[in-house]
């Protein structure tokens, strides 16, 4: 590995602005490049077999049904292309979707968003004062870091058990010592990037703690409907929806380009959420709200989600089998019950940023190095390795089982050549 340059130079992570630029807000001066975005750009070259992005399978998008409902909406509803209030019939469908997940709510609690990411941004603005503490897992979805960054929070981290999820007792310890975080962020089902789902006991305990200490939980649940082994656990919002702010999304069950999601929140807070969203994008597209509503009216969603789950289960199983076959026996990985990701921990002190460069150059295969998901990004600035430096995230939803087998075989070759294993 000696003479290998990292795929991305660590010392370029802070965004630099030239002299003569207007003075920026403090947080914008501190802003770092998104390592994830940069890597996705690097690996999106033609000919690369990529397990990098969190992309759904494009061949499974319900294109024909969506074309029919959009044509119908345009032909029949003059409000579809106008500014307008959130579309109540869509909220009614969401109440039913939430009931399927075991969450009882009413339509006045449903707040429509332009995707779960916007929900994170809005909740960060609702809850954080500048410098507030927030609790995140050490390995975390990068979008929450971006959402809280403008408020320059104090990031408190807890570890994650790869079988039972977040270390809830570490959260309890913070709270018992008197720390009052502005929010606790949880991705309880099919965690991005780890693939793990939070155990039932931990769900109960976390909600009980948050309610007792009056700390809001932001439950980010874009993968909750994508379960492959029996029924999913109820989300945290099923236990309480006064201290749990639930974020759902149509991105993974219909298509990300719709940019449509929802929040379930206490009704009293909806007017404040509305003002924050107005500053952000005024409102979510009236056209998309009506088209998705018509798609749901036509009853297409259950069969579509069943198809997704059937195919993604095949892809997950193909990846697990290929890892077993081609990766060194000392490596370990998660066995997700749903979602889109497997997290792999490689043995030894390997830096997977450097491994990615080799994998792309020699085998034309890509993944995302674990470092991209570290809640504490300081090591990136100082050139140290973060504690996930030997880990990688693999996406299994975006490739056929055949390509998964081929790609993991190639990746296994690089890993083996680096370790002298197998
Ligand atoms: C954990 C998590 N939260 C939020 C999002 C963003 O979802 P949306 O497309 O609904 O904004 C993603 C997307 O990959 C995600 O993995």
């Amino acid at each position: 590995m000696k003479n290998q340059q990292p795929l991305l130079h660590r010392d370029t992570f802070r965004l630099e602005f030239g002299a003569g630029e207007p003075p920026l807000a403090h947080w914008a001066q501190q802003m770092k490049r998104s390592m994830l975005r940069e890597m996705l750009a690097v690996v999106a070259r033609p000919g690369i077999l990529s397990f990098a992005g969190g992309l759904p399978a494009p061949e499974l998008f319900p294109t024909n049904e969506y074309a029919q409902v959009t044509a119908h909406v345009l032909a029949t509803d003059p409000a579809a292309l106008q500014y307008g209030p959130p579309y109540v019939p869509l909220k009614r469908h969401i109440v039913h979707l939430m009931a399927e997940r075991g969450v009882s709510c009413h339509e006045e609690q449903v707040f429509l968003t332009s995707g779960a990411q916007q929900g994170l941004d809005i909740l960060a603005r609702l809850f954080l004062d500048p410098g507030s503490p927030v609790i995140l897992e050490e390995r975390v979805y990068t979008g929450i870091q971006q959402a809280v960054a403008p408020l320059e929070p104090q990031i408190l981290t807890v570890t994650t058990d790869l079988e039972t999820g977040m270390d809830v007792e570490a959260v309890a310890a913070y709270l018992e010592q008197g720390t009052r975080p502005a929010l606790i962020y949880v991705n309880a089902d099919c965690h991005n990037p780890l693939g793990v789902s939070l155990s039932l006991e931990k769900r109960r305990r976390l909600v009980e703690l948050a309610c007792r200490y009056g700390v809001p939980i932001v439950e980010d649940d874009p993968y909750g409907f994508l379960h492959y082994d029996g029924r999913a656990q109820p989300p945290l919002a099923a236990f309480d929806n006064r201290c749990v702010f639930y974020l759902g999304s149509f991105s993974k069950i219909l298509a990300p380009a719709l940019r449509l999601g929802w929040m379930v929140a206490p009704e009293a807070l909806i007017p404040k959420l509305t003002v924050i969203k107005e500053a952000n994008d005024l409102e979510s597209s009236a056209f998309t709200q009506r088209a998705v509503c018509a798609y749901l009216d036509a009853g297409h969603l259950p069969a579509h989600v069943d198809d997704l789950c059937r195919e993604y289960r095949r892809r997950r199983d193909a990846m697990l089998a290929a890892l077993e076959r081609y990766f060194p026996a000392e490596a370990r990985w998660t066995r997700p019950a749903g979602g889109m990701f497997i997290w792999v921990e490689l043995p030894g002190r390997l830096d997977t940023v450097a491994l990615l460069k080799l994998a792309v150059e020699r085998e034309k295969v890509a993944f995302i190095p674990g470092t991209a998901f570290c809640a504490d990004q300081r090591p990136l600035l100082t050139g140290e390795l973060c504690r996930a430096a030997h880990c990688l995230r693999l996406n299994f939803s975006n490739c056929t089982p055949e390509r998964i087998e081929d790609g993991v075989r190639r990746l296994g070759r690089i890993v083996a050549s680096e370790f002298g294993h197998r």
Side-chain angles (χ1 to χ4, degrees):
M1 298 277 284
K2 262 192 197 119
N3 300 317
Q4 298 297 339
Q5 291 295 314
L7 186 68
L8 295 161
H9 296 280
R10 285 205 164 76
D11 55 1
T12 63
F13 271 98
R14 198 184 289 272
L15 289 169
E16 301 294 351
F17 296 88
E21 295 285 338
L24 303 182
H26 184 258
W27 79 272
Q29 290 172 28
Q30 303 304 308
M31 191 186 284
K32 284 163 266 157
R33 293 178 197 278
S34 162
M35 187 185 194
L36 188 63
R37 283 262 161 227
E38 290 201 2
M39 285 182 175
L40 289 173
V42 171
V43 301
R45 294 182 204 140
I48 303 285
L49 199 167
S50 179
F51 300 132
L55 306 183
E59 64 279 18
L60 299 181
F61 289 145
T63 316
N64 292 340
E65 292 83 355
Y66 200 67
Q68 282 164 16
V69 295
T70 51
H72 172 76
V73 165
L74 286 174
T76 58
D77 190 344
L81 295 181
Q82 190 53 282
Y83 288 119
Y87 194 48
V88 174
L90 176 61
K91 292 190 186 190
R92 286 194 201 113
H93 277 295
I94 289 170
V95 169
H96 288 124
L97 284 174
M98 293 310 304
E100 273 176 40
R101 295 279 284 121
V103 178
S104 137
C105 63
H106 49 87
E107 66 203 43
E108 289 78 12
Q109 287 172 270
V110 175
F111 179 76
L112 298 176
T113 64
S114 301
Q117 183 62 40
Q118 187 183 54
L120 296 175
D121 184 70
I122 291 174
L123 289 176
R125 283 162 206 277
L126 184 71
F127 291 126
L128 267 71
D129 284 316
S132 298
V134 297
I135 294 188
L136 309 181
E137 286 161 279
E138 279 182 4
R139 316 281 165 260
V140 75
Y141 168 60
T142 48
I144 180 65
Q145 292 169 268
Q146 289 167 324
V148 296
L151 285 306
E152 301 188 74
Q154 180 195 1
I155 306 269
L156 305 175
T157 57
V158 296
T159 57
T160 308
D161 180 279
L162 292 183
E163 283 176 13
T164 60
M166 176 187 244
D167 182 352
V168 172
E169 291 316 310
V171 176
Y174 278 125
L175 298 174
E176 281 154 13
Q177 285 155 19
T179 304
R180 289 294 170 269
L183 60 83
I184 303 169
Y185 170 80
V186 191
N187 177 197
D189 281 283
C190 320
H191 190 284
N192 177 7
L194 303 177
V196 61
S197 292
L198 196 65
S199 71
L200 189 59
E201 306 83 81
K202 285 187 174 183
R203 287 174 199 238
R204 285 214 177 88
R205 170 90 167 125
L206 187 58
V207 174
E208 183 261 313
L209 284 166
C211 292
R212 177 160 14 124
Y213 289 98
V215 175
I217 293 179
V218 174
E219 179 173 28
D220 189 10
D221 193 34
Y223 305 104
F225 289 92
L226 296 178
H227 252 261
Y228 316 140
D229 300 326
R231 267 185 88 76
Q233 305 279 19
L236 304 186
F239 299 99
D240 179 288
N241 56 25
R242 285 158 305 141
C243 62
V244 180
F245 290 70
Y246 177 96
L247 297 174
S249 175
F250 289 106
S251 289
K252 313 293 178 174
I253 53 174
L254 278 180
L258 300 175
R259 306 311 307 137
L260 191 62
W262 68 92
M263 185 189 307
V264 179
E267 190 182 337
L269 286 174
I270 301 290
K272 288 193 194 287
L273 296 169
T274 306
V275 172
I276 301 174
K277 180 172 162 67
E278 277 178 5
N280 198 293
D281 69 351
L282 287 187
E283 58 195 32
S284 297
S285 154
F287 175 47
T288 306
Q289 291 176 49
R290 281 161 175 77
V292 169
C293 188
Y295 178 89
L296 299 172
D297 286 343
H300 293 310
L301 189 67
H304 177 60
V305 171
D306 283 352
D307 288 348
L308 290 178
C309 288
R310 199 172 313 113
E311 183 54 25
Y312 289 166
R313 182 188 301 122
R314 263 170 32 89
R315 295 178 183 202
R316 175 203 60 182
D317 292 347
M319 188 167 272
L320 289 173
L323 284 166
E324 208 64 68
R325 208 168 300 135
Y326 301 118
F327 267 46
E330 298 85 342
R332 30 180 231 140
W333 50 86
T334 51
R335 291 166 197 282
M340 299 186 165
F341 306 109
I342 295 176
W343 179 257
V344 182
E345 292 186 352
L346 294 175
R349 293 181 53 80
L350 180 88
D351 179 1
T352 50
V353 173
L355 189 78
L356 175 62
K357 182 175 161 64
L358 294 182
V360 168
E361 280 175 6
R362 292 201 205 147
E363 294 286 353
K364 304 226 171 315
V365 61
F367 56 85
I368 296 290
T371 309
F373 304 100
C374 285
D376 182 359
Q377 293 280 312
R378 277 169 304 183
L380 288 177
L381 297 173
T382 56
E384 292 165 47
L385 290 186
C386 99
R387 278 173 45 197
H390 63 302
C391 302
L392 51 117
R393 186 193 77 174
L394 296 175
N395 164 270
F396 59 80
S397 55
N398 188 243
C399 291
T400 61
E402 297 69 34
R403 282 172 66 76
I404 287 174
E405 153 85 20
D406 181 34
V408 175
R409 183 173 51 81
R410 294 195 230 162
L411 203 48
R413 253 195 322 243
I414 286 288
V415 172
S417 74
E418 288 307 293
F419 289 112
H421 284 293
R422 283 199 197 168

